[in-house]
Amino acid sequence: MVTSLSLPLFPIPISVYNFGEDNHKLNIDLVTDIFKERDRDPNGAIQSNYGGWHSNSSLEERYKSFEVLRKQIEDCSNDYCAKHGFETGLIVEGLWANMNQSGDMNVSHNHGLSALTGVYYPVESIVGKDCKFSYSENNPIKPGIYDGKKGGSVYFQDPSYGLKNRLKPKTKNAFTSVHYYTYPVAGVLVIFPSYLVHAVLPFKEKQTKRLSISFIAVYGEDEKLIEYKHQLKGILHKLKDTQGER
């Protein structure tokens, strides 16, 4: 008698934490502070963004709302480690905000110098001046890069992309799919390994804004280096503010 066993070896855990309406007040504060930061620093930074606005990092040092979110993300990041057999003790830092409008995108990239990274959505979208929160308990992660209709999705790429060409997929599942995507869902935090390549597709809808918040998570033994970086960033922020007042 022949028996068989298939094992899901080398899995890549992507965890979704859904705060839902419990974070509604915080989400409003985050959206307000993101626009405040964009007005304060309209140039922001050029990183993976093609168009759009990418803030400078460490917004948790400037806004209380971001510090509240940072603590939530840190708890979830260590929960991620505990669930998947990794050491806890991660410190979340360097939060930054992204604002994309029609035609803007973020090219494929990773955050390889950290242990974990991820994205939090304070709002689904903003049309004109109206915030669309649309909280949902459904699993937002789907196979593919988008739903075939609208842009604005973030998609994740299998590290073995391009190495399975001789196998012909018949159905979309965890063994055959080389991309997974999600759209912004208010109150949802997605955590994943920092080496995972990801990108954000552009969308066509006019007068629409897509907001997201990203971060890095590192281990506590790097705390002295983190503190030094924070001090250096604080000095740079003060210098920039002083120059802006001239």
Side-chain angles (χ1 to χ4, degrees), residues 10-29:
F10 315 117
I12 302 171
I14 298 180
S15 291
V16 178
Y17 295 86
N18 193 337
F19 292 87
E21 294 189 51
D22 289 348
N23 264 18
H24 185 66
K25 173 61 169 60
L26 176 61
N27 289 337
I28 293 174
D29 292 341

Side-chain angles (χ1 to χ4, degrees), residues 19-186:
F19 292 87
E21 294 189 51
D22 289 348
N23 264 18
H24 185 66
K25 173 61 169 60
L26 176 61
N27 289 337
I28 293 174
D29 292 341
L30 288 167
V31 170
T32 300
D33 289 338
I34 289 172
F35 279 95
K36 188 182 299 182
E37 177 66 12
R38 190 193 62 166
D39 291 341
R40 189 195 70 83
D41 183 18
N43 292 326
I46 302 298
Q47 299 292 344
S48 65
N49 51 311
Y50 177 78
W53 175 77
H54 182 301
S55 79
N56 283 289
S57 61
S58 299
L59 294 183
E60 70 273 15
E61 297 177 3
R62 187 178 293 274
Y63 301 102
K64 181 180 178 181
S65 64
F66 276 80
E67 173 58 18
V68 172
L69 178 64
R70 188 201 68 77
K71 291 178 180 178
Q72 290 183 343
I73 295 173
E74 190 167 278
D75 289 343
C76 293
S77 295
N78 284 293
D79 176 76
Y80 173 105
C81 289
K83 285 180 176 177
H84 299 112
F86 298 105
E87 291 284 344
T88 58
L90 287 177
I91 295 174
V92 167
E93 60 144 6
L95 274 67
W96 69 92
N98 306 282
M99 185 184 300
N100 285 7
Q101 300 187 67
S102 180
D104 299 334
M105 64 180 292
N106 293 78
V107 300
S108 298
H109 64 286
N110 63 22
H111 305 282
L113 296 179
S114 59
L116 293 175
T117 188
V119 59
Y120 178 81
Y121 298 109
V123 64
E124 179 184 317
S125 63
I126 299 177
V127 181
K129 295 183 178 180
D130 296 327
C131 291
K132 183 180 180 182
F133 290 98
S134 300
Y135 296 102
S136 173
E137 296 181 359
N138 296 329
N139 174 22
I141 308 291
K142 308 293 182 184
I145 63 172
Y146 79 122
D147 64 2
K149 299 177 182 178
K150 60 179 182 178
S153 62
V154 57
Y155 70 83
F156 309 98
Q157 182 171 292
D158 184 349
S160 63
Y161 178 77
L163 301 179
K164 305 174 183 177
N165 293 343
R166 304 306 296 176
L167 289 171
K168 299 179 180 180
K170 184 177 181 180
T171 60
K172 289 185 177 181
N173 57 43
F175 297 103
T176 63
S177 297
V178 294
H179 294 103
Y180 276 85
Y181 74 91
T182 183
Y183 285 102
V185 178

